[in-house]
Amino acid sequence: MEKQKKSGFIALVGRPNVGKSTLMNHLIGQKIAITSRKPQTTRNQIRTVYTDERGQAVFLDTPGIHKAKNKLGEYMVNVAEKTLNEVDVVLWLVEPTTFIGAGEQHIAKQLQRVKTPVILVINKVDSVKREEILPAIAAYKDIYDFADIVPVSARSGDNTDELLRVIMKYLPYGPQFYDEDTVTDQPERQIVAELIREKALHSLQDEIPHGIAVAIDRMKMQNKVMHIDATIICERDSHKGIIIGKQGSMLKKIGSTARYEIERMLDCKVNLKLWVKVKKDWRDSEFLMKNFGYREEE
């Protein structure tokens, strides 16, 4: 008789830049979610799938919970908070510190409303001394009754095997939602757009505020080469000049680093062409947000 397996959904929540996307990429074993030092990097609810002999864990990487400043911010907050009531396990990622600020207090307040088991994940333990981890755990125990607490390093992968063991412990028994070789439900076009956006954020660093999006205009395989035309959307004419750079140098840099990542993902040669367009205040337009891939139903 075949052993019954676990199967369920896990939400990753936490303040922006705490390492949710990095952790998810490490658990899955390949890059799906983009990473950046800038807040609000994750746009939509990205589903990634981990499957082994114990069962299947479907991770939902939500936008960081924070106070909204515009329609884009409101959308991200709504997605993150709605998810808490629709999963089997919640992973709350925090940094190894005894200081619990307003952002963490806000998340704790949201979690008080749900009955889902919450696992506290103390991330970035490689950035502090070992003796600093226990006081951080004690501080968080004072504000919430966690089902479990697991210290990890998403960057190095330290103790992530233990985290997977703990997650499986709380998942219900049931049929798998995806085939064993599935790692994400994101369409290729969307992942490509996100990889370009990540490289733009990395290359531009602090020169451009967060308001850029990427639209894939064409994606077609010809003679074993994937031809991709994409447009980087920004909010101001001055931003357009910075993204293009002197004699197109910045746009070339973004394109070459993005092409390398896309070729690795698609396992084929890529011909990537990039353009830049200005769409003023697109983050305050529901129509443009949906047009650039921010879908409320996800």
Side-chain angles (χ1 to χ4, degrees), residues 147-161:
D148 248 301
I149 299 175
V150 184
V152 304
S153 168
R155 185 171 57 182
S156 69
D158 185 37
N159 217 34
T160 52
D161 286 345

Side-chain angles (χ1 to χ4, degrees), residues 13-21 93-95 104 121 123-124 154:
V13 300
R15 294 187 66 205
N17 298 330
V18 78
K20 299 188 300 299
S21 296
L93 268 71
V94 300
E95 296 189 6
E104 285 81 9
V121 181
N123 190 26
K124 304 182 182 180

Side-chain angles (χ1 to χ4, degrees), residues 2-7 52-55 173-174 176 180:
E2 188 178 351
K3 184 181 177 183
Q4 201 174 8
K5 294 185 177 182
K6 298 288 192 83
S7 182
D52 66 13
E53 69 281 356
R54 295 169 292 188
Y173 287 99
Q176 296 187 350
E180 288 187 7

Side-chain angles (χ1 to χ4, degrees), residues 210-251:
H210 190 81
I212 61 171
V214 174
I216 302 299
D217 306 311
R218 182 177 77 115
M219 190 167 168
K220 187 175 182 179
M221 180 71 81
Q222 290 179 326
N223 300 323
K224 297 182 180 180
V225 177
M226 182 65 80
H227 295 268
I228 301 171
D229 295 350
T231 302
I232 299 174
I233 315 294
C234 59
E235 292 183 303
R236 298 178 185 174
D237 293 322
S238 59
H239 294 171
K240 180 178 179 178
I242 294 171
I243 294 169
I244 294 172
K246 191 175 181 180
Q247 296 181 328
S249 58
M250 180 59 74
L251 197 59

